[in-house]
Amino acid sequence: MTVADAEAASRKEEISHNHLYKVTGLSSSNLEKLAQEPEADFEEAISATGYGWFNVMLLLCTLPAFWSAVSITSAASYIFSRAQCDMELRLHDLGTVTAMSYIGMISSAMVWGYVSDTLGRRSILVWGCLSSGLVEVVAAISQSFTMLLVMRFASGFLFNGPFAVLISYLAELHRADIRARVILLSSFFFTLANTTLPLLAWAIITQDWEFTLFGGGMVLHSWNIFLLATAMVPLLTGLAAVCLPESPKFLMSRGRNDEALVILKKIYSWNTGRPPETYPITRLAQEKHPQRGRGLEALQGGVAQLSPLFRRPHAAWLLLICVAHVCCMFGANTVRLWYPQLAAMIGSEGNASLCSAIAPQPLADEVTDCTPIETDMLTYLQNAVVGAGSVLTYGIGGMLINRCGKKMVAGVCGVMGAVFVGLLPLVGSSSFPVVAIVTTALALTALCSASLSSIAVDLFPPSLRVMAMAVFLMSGRMGTISGTIVFPILIDFGCLPPFLTIAAALMACGVACFFLPKTTLKRLE
């Protein structure tokens, strides 16, 4: 090698180092040191952020989302006693209105699952909740039964995506040892919603309000005002989601590790009060999955993404957990959604027994000279007590779920819930045993459902997780639709058939849970 060649090689090396410094801002020695630092996977990275104010604020921001999930599906149960005369409704129409929300959710399950796994969690939370809230406002001012049905369908269609994302989003922002308990304890928000919704209904629906607008073209009754009040909650959820970050797990799965690291540093700073620069992890492991485009490109290849979910090893577990969820929701939501009407019917019969209250025709087909079912504060308080009954169960479940295992908790709760529902036709004329049995049964089935949700999150990889959760939730909603429609039909055959059918479904759910794989303390892939 000549002297000229040696000088050229030296200049080339200097240029290379200078180029690296301009691009990275690090000297060659620092780059070598960085290359020797170990890469942290997601579980190590999220564990290093600790648990603190960010996690508390995250749960508070998701509170209205859980409340919205209850109001969108349950509000119709409270308005029926007053809206039946305004819209000339019969008993089976209550099941139809409730079913339309769930049909909307089912029809959008696959679309939302693919879009959220492709475009991210946060954007779906924001835009899905805001659009759902706007549709709820339109539903609240409905002047006909047809308009109410269409708007309930649209609301369910739009809200299904954000709610499916929510569970995965919560799981991906908590470390493995507290993940199951956080998902379980977040279900306490369902209890809070089920407790406050009947109280809100009592405060508004029992009022003799009637507002005439546009020269009589629109008339708003107290039940319209109630629906309008509940419509504000999805809008609040969308605004709260604007303040939340994107899921670091999702960003890592797309190869956007720099963005994920920035978010993890912020979470660490919020939780510990220390500067983001002191976050102990500087490099994240590559977890990139095949990159997808955006917009119309993001919708291409949807079938290709779906296919792994319905092949081994995921297909068998997906089928089993969906069967368990269908049976759980068939029983739990049928009792939950019909109990407000059953309580009103019992009260209108002078505190008669459950079987004697539902044995006659509860509502006449003729709507001439219609008289609404009169409901008092006691009826709504009974609903609030039933909704609040899950508080203790969630507290106990949060302590037991890591000790006994998720599938054990789900299975035992399903079987015990079946036993309590089977006792309902045997109670006497006192309202106390009915309230106590329904409260216990709903508390147990709520804990069963929360445990199944936690298992579903752990079973599937991130590229399929939200899609799997969408199918999981869709299956539960199919059970709910079946239950709400079948229940009034079974009532025509007597008191025993509806409750024994629900008990059989819950028993099947409990048995199926024992065959699920063990996922307690499993690390997210």
Side-chain angles (χ1 to χ4, degrees):
M1 179 182 295
T2 64
V3 175
D5 292 336
E7 291 177 353
S10 177
R11 285 195 301 270
K12 182 177 180 181
E13 183 178 359
E14 290 176 0
I15 292 173
S16 177
H17 287 171
N18 290 338
H19 177 69
L20 288 173
Y21 180 78
K22 291 178 180 179
V23 172
T24 65
L26 301 173
S27 64
S28 59
S29 59
N30 286 335
L31 285 170
E32 292 176 359
K33 180 180 178 181
L34 181 62
Q36 296 174 356
E37 293 181 359
E39 294 181 337
D41 62 16
F42 169 74
E43 292 294 351
E44 294 170 339
I46 197 65
S47 296
T49 62
Y51 188 92
W53 282 112
F54 170 79
N55 304 89
V56 174
M57 294 304 297
L58 173 65
L59 290 175
L60 290 178
C61 286
T62 57
L63 169 60
F66 287 96
W67 205 97
S68 300
V70 173
S71 66
I72 287 174
T73 58
S74 304
S77 301
Y78 296 96
I79 70 171
F80 185 78
S81 60
R82 290 302 181 98
Q84 59 174 329
C85 291
D86 298 328
M87 289 191 173
E88 302 182 351
L89 305 179
R90 294 175 294 181
L91 186 61
H92 70 82
D93 293 326
L94 172 58
T96 305
V97 172
T98 303
M100 288 304 292
S101 298
Y102 286 97
I103 292 172
M105 294 176 181
I106 289 177
S107 63
S108 66
M110 296 300 180
V111 175
W112 281 118
Y114 179 75
V115 171
S116 57
D117 271 339
T118 303
L119 303 181
R121 319 306 198 210
R122 179 178 173 274
S123 59
I124 301 300
L125 281 173
V126 173
W127 297 110
C129 290
L130 289 177
S131 58
S132 176
L134 293 176
V135 170
E136 281 287 290
V137 171
V138 179
I141 61 176
S142 297
Q143 299 298 296
S144 67
F145 182 59
T146 301
M147 181 180 178
L148 181 61
L149 286 180
V150 172
M151 290 300 102
R152 299 302 289 182
F153 172 85
S155 178
F157 185 97
L158 293 170
F159 188 75
N160 183 47
F163 187 68
V165 164
L166 183 64
I167 298 176
S168 294
Y169 185 72
L170 284 174
E172 292 171 355
L173 285 171
H174 289 89
R175 63 180 188 265
D177 61 324
I178 63 172
R179 184 172 296 132
R181 281 180 289 177
V182 166
I183 295 177
L184 181 63
L185 292 177
S186 68
S187 298
F188 164 75
F189 295 153
F190 282 119
T191 301
L192 184 62
N194 283 318
T195 303
T196 55
L197 187 64
L199 297 180
L200 180 65
W202 166 71
I204 298 178
I205 295 179
T206 55
Q207 305 299 321
D208 191 18
W209 290 339
E210 183 174 302
F211 303 94
T212 302
L213 306 175
F214 307 112
M218 178 181 295
V219 180
L220 299 182
H221 305 276
S222 58
W223 61 268
N224 296 106
I225 306 301
F226 169 69
L227 291 181
L228 193 60
T230 61
M232 298 298 105
V233 185
L235 295 175
L236 178 62
T237 304
L239 295 176
V242 173
C243 305
L244 298 176
E246 181 56 270
S247 164
K249 179 63 177 177
F250 170 79
L251 294 174
M252 290 177 66
S253 70
R254 294 297 177 266
R256 298 156 63 182
N257 284 12
D258 292 340
E259 298 176 52
L261 188 59
V262 170
I263 292 174
L264 288 166
K265 287 181 178 180
K266 289 181 179 178
I267 295 174
Y268 168 82
S269 179
W270 290 334
N271 282 342
T272 64
R274 300 173 184 173
E277 295 76 16
T278 60
Y279 181 58
I281 292 174
T282 57
R283 300 181 67 199
L284 298 175
Q286 291 294 329
E287 299 183 2
K288 183 177 180 180
H289 292 265
Q291 187 65 36
R292 300 173 178 87
R294 294 181 179 273
L296 292 177
E297 295 180 4
L299 297 178
Q300 297 177 355
V303 176
Q305 181 186 351
L306 271 176
S307 57
L309 193 59
F310 298 99
R311 295 200 303 259
R312 292 183 179 181
H314 305 302
W317 298 130
L318 180 65
L319 176 62
L320 182 60
I321 200 168
C322 285
V323 168
H325 202 219
V326 166
C327 295
C328 181
M329 292 297 98
F330 180 94
N333 280 341
T334 301
V335 174
R336 179 177 66 86
L337 295 172
W338 275 97
Y339 180 73
Q341 182 63 23
L342 294 178
M345 291 161 60
I346 294 173
S348 66
E349 293 289 330
N351 290 323
S353 67
L354 178 61
C355 284
S356 62
I358 67 176
Q361 288 289 340
L363 286 176
D365 288 345
E366 297 294 332
V367 294
T368 56
D369 298 326
C370 176
T371 302
I373 295 178
E374 291 296 331
T375 55
D376 55 15
M377 184 178 67
L378 181 60
T379 301
Y380 292 100
L381 285 178
Q382 290 176 3
N383 285 279
V385 170
V386 169
S390 301
V391 173
L392 182 60
T393 306
Y394 281 131
I396 296 174
M399 294 184 293
L400 294 180
I401 196 165
N402 284 343
R403 295 184 180 180
C404 302
K406 301 173 188 176
K407 72 173 186 177
M408 180 63 67
V409 172
V412 170
C413 287
V415 172
M416 292 181 63
V419 173
F420 279 97
V421 171
L423 293 175
L424 275 175
L426 307 179
V427 298
S429 60
S430 174
S431 61
F432 176 77
V434 176
V435 173
I437 291 176
V438 171
T439 300
T440 305
L442 290 182
L444 291 168
T445 54
L447 184 54
C448 176
S449 176
S451 300
L452 284 173
S453 297
S454 181
I455 294 172
V457 168
D458 293 338
L459 277 178
F460 304 98
S463 61
L464 297 174
R465 185 168 296 131
V466 172
M467 181 69 73
M469 289 304 300
V471 176
F472 171 78
L473 293 173
M474 179 183 68
S475 66
R477 284 155 187 160
M478 291 177 63
T480 301
I481 292 172
S482 302
T484 55
I485 294 177
V486 168
F487 187 81
I489 298 175
L490 292 176
I491 287 179
D492 292 336
F493 293 93
C495 185
L496 288 177
F499 297 106
L500 292 184
T501 301
I502 293 174
L506 291 176
M507 184 66 68
C509 167
V511 173
C513 289
F514 292 114
F515 292 94
L516 291 169
K518 181 179 179 181
T519 62
T520 307
L521 296 180
K522 178 183 176 181
R523 294 163 64 93
L524 279 184
E525 298 178 10

